Amino acid sequence: MTRRSSDTTAPTVGADGLEVLERAHCMELLANHRVGRVAVEVADDSPLVVPVNYLLDGEAIVFRTDMGAKVRALRQGPVSFQIDEIDPYHQTGWSVLVRGVAYEATGAEVAHLLVEPWAPGDKERWIRIVPATVTGRRIRLTGSPVDDRGYR
């Protein structure tokens, strides 16, 4: 669902004063972007957050990587994935947060996908993040009309 500036429906506002994005709009934003951040908890109980280029396959986020701390951590527990767009000049922006589980995908699951990693290396492991929750928020100056990207 694309929200247009001519829509008369008032946005839902959360307790924190931020506009709450509907799941369908969050999925549209995920589908239209290519770089996000994966967050996992590593062995020493500290977070590891790394950027990845990705694509959306259905509702799953897919990216390629090498074996390392990120892959070991996602095998052990939950994972988060986040994208955002910020305009500090206009003090507007949005973010989408996906929480779920991730696993290494193989064969037919990824044969039809084309994800070319930007970082050097073979990146032979294909990771799929399956969402349990998808949430989004938008911040904007009070009373300013905002388009789908969060700009006035």
Side-chain angles (χ1 to χ4, degrees):
M1 177 171 103
T2 302
R3 196 179 297 249
R4 307 213 188 290
S5 59
S6 62
D7 286 352
T8 57
T9 306
T12 302
V13 177
D16 56 7
L18 300 177
E19 179 183 344
V20 176
L21 302 178
E22 296 176 11
R23 181 184 172 100
H25 190 70
C26 292
M27 296 309 292
E28 182 180 319
L29 290 167
L30 285 163
N32 290 316
H33 286 78
R34 293 292 171 258
V35 177
R37 288 172 293 285
V38 174
V40 293
E41 187 176 308
V42 292
D44 63 357
D45 292 331
S46 64
L48 172 66
V49 181
V50 294
V52 297
N53 60 298
Y54 74 97
L55 64 79
L56 197 63
D57 184 33
E59 289 198 350
I61 295 156
V62 180
F63 65 94
R64 291 172 53 187
T65 190
D66 288 326
M67 187 61 195
K70 173 176 58 232
V71 173
R72 286 189 296 275
L74 67 82
R75 289 176 176 166
Q76 304 298 315
V79 61
S80 293
F81 181 85
Q82 193 249 347
I83 63 170
D84 58 43
E85 195 165 288
I86 307 298
D87 179 349
Y89 178 78
H90 291 105
Q91 298 178 344
T92 62
W94 56 263
S95 66
V96 172
L97 177 63
V98 175
R99 293 181 177 136
V101 296
Y103 66 92
E104 291 183 61
T106 59
E109 276 188 289
V110 294
H112 66 287
L113 302 177
L114 179 60
V115 178
E116 289 298 326
W118 294 359
D122 291 334
K123 311 294 184 208
E124 293 181 8
R125 304 205 182 261
W126 290 77
I127 307 298
R128 289 180 71 90
I129 300 174
V130 179
T133 63
V134 178
T135 57
R137 307 183 309 169
R138 182 186 326 272
I139 188 169
R140 61 179 164 171
L141 296 174
T142 305
S144 45
V146 175
D147 67 15
D148 285 340
R149 293 184 359 180
Y151 295 112
R152 293 190 293 157

